[in-house]
């Protein structure tokens, strides 16, 4: 379980491995804020290998989205499985995020 | 494969949540509740929420306090009660996090998710104990993953 951060061109890609929950949300937040501090402005979070997200995990995504926008940056979410889409739809957070079906679609949408 | 009842006592440490959730999922499978979709999404997310709420808001992260999980598991139905040592809260006094004015808030979705992912949810009068019921879905009609 963890987060892998790498660069794909000028996009900072973060893979969420395992769960994004109350126990590890701060780790994701800090990694993204560090990149933002370092000048990154285009972010994609990839959920290909994510099990489930709890409300704390959803909350940290909302918070990061705001912080990235405040710095004139952009955030894309990609590869949400059916479970994760259900959570975003239930909470209506699908209206708040740019959600791409896959990585290529996310990368080409910046 | 048989119905079972068991209890867990967890210290107030959010790092313990994931293992506790997996224990309940494994025991549910062993009890014959073989609805993978509902175990994977509805149970995991709801139990995680209830435990996080108990530890953070109920016990206020006090490591001296514990969270108790009582589970009654069977092939058709799972009943789980999560109790903390806090003073409780009023579950009817929570804003709807899907309203536009609350949608961009970072918090306030936990109880909402539980209510939409479980088939029945009750709180005790004090508000420090939540009981959640999950029924096995009907494979013929594919009963809801999440109720809207």
């Amino acid at each position: 379980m963890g987060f892998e951060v790498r660069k794909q061109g000028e996009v900072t890609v973060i893979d969420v491995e395992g769960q994004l929950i109350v126990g590890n949300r701060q780790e994701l937040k800090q990694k993204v804020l560090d990149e933002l501090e370092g000048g990154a402005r285009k972010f994609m979070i990839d959920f290909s290998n994510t099990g489930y997200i709890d409300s704390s995990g959803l909350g940290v995504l909302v918070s990061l989205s705001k912080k990235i926008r405040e710095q004139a940056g952009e955030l894309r979410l990609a590869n949400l499985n059916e479970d994760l889409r259900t959570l975003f739809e239930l909470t209506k957070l699908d209206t708040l995020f740019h959600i791409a079906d896959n990585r290529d679609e996310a990368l080409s949408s910046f | 494969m048989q119905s079972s009842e068991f209890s867990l006592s967890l210290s107030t440490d959010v790092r313990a949540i994931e293992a506790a959730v997996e224990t309940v999922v494994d025991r549910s499978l062993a009890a014959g509740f073989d609805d993978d979709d509902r175990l994977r999404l509805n149970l995991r997310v709801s139990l995680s929420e209830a435990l996080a709420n108990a530890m953070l808001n109920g016990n206020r992260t006090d490591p001296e306090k514990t969270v108790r999980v009582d589970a009654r598991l069977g092939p058709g139905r799972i009943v789980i009660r999560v109790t903390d040592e806090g003073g409780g809260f009023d579950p009817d006094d929570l804003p709807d996090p899907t309203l536009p004015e609350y949608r961009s808030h970072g918090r306030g979705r936990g109880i909402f998710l539980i209510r939409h992912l479980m088939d029945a949810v009750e709180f005790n009068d004090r508000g420090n104990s939540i009981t959640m019921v999950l029924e096995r879905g009907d494979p013929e009609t594919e009963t809801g993953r999440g109720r809207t």
Side-chain angles (χ1 to χ4, degrees), chain B residues 7-73:
Chain B
S7 298
L8 297 172
S9 181
L10 306 175
S11 56
T12 297
D13 179 350
V14 292
R15 292 169 300 183
I17 290 176
E18 196 173 357
V21 169
E22 292 314 310
T23 296
V24 175
V25 169
D26 289 345
R27 291 205 182 209
S28 299
L29 282 167
F33 192 98
D34 59 354
D35 187 335
D36 289 342
D37 282 352
R38 306 208 95 201
L39 287 179
R40 194 182 59 242
L41 176 70
N42 304 59
L43 177 61
R44 276 195 172 92
V45 172
S46 298
L47 184 52
S48 295
E49 296 297 347
L51 293 173
N53 192 49
M55 291 179 182
L56 301 178
N57 300 321
N59 289 348
R60 299 188 182 279
T61 69
D62 180 349
E64 299 298 313
K65 293 182 174 172
T66 58
V67 174
R68 182 180 169 90
V69 179
D70 297 292
R72 196 165 69 244
L73 311 172

Side-chain angles (χ1 to χ4, degrees), chain A residues 2-3 13 19 30 32 34 43 66 71 77 82 102-103:
Chain A
F3 309 101
V13 178
Q19 275 55 263
Q30 199 52 55
V32 173
D34 287 347
F43 292 86
K66 269 195 275 191
Q71 299 297 321
L77 309 182
E82 196 182 347
N102 54 56
R103 182 174 291 236

Side-chain angles (χ1 to χ4, degrees), chain A residues 1 18-19 21-23 25 51-56 58-60 62-63 66 69 81-84 86-87 89-93 95-96, chain B residues 14-15 17-18 21-22 37 40-41 44-45 48-49 52 56 97-98 103-107 109-110 112-113 116-117 142 145-148:
Chain A
M1 192 165 88
Q19 275 55 263
I21 55 177
V22 64
R25 62 183 164 155
Y52 64 94
I53 302 178
D54 70 6
S55 65
S56 296
L58 293 172
V60 87
V62 170
S63 162
K66 269 195 275 191
R69 257 200 329 271
N81 64 31
E82 196 182 347
D83 288 350
L84 301 186
T86 297
L87 295 177
E89 287 165 8
L90 273 177
T91 53
K92 292 196 165 55
L93 287 179
T95 63
L96 219 61
Chain B
V14 292
R15 292 169 300 183
I17 290 176
E18 196 173 357
V21 169
E22 292 314 310
D37 282 352
R40 194 182 59 242
L41 176 70
R44 276 195 172 92
V45 172
S48 295
E49 296 297 347
L56 301 178
T98 66
R103 210 172 294 170
S104 60
H105 286 203
R107 303 183 55 180
R109 297 181 179 85
F112 172 87
L113 281 176
H116 283 77
L117 292 173
E142 197 184 344
R145 299 159 59 78
R147 291 173 293 121
T148 54

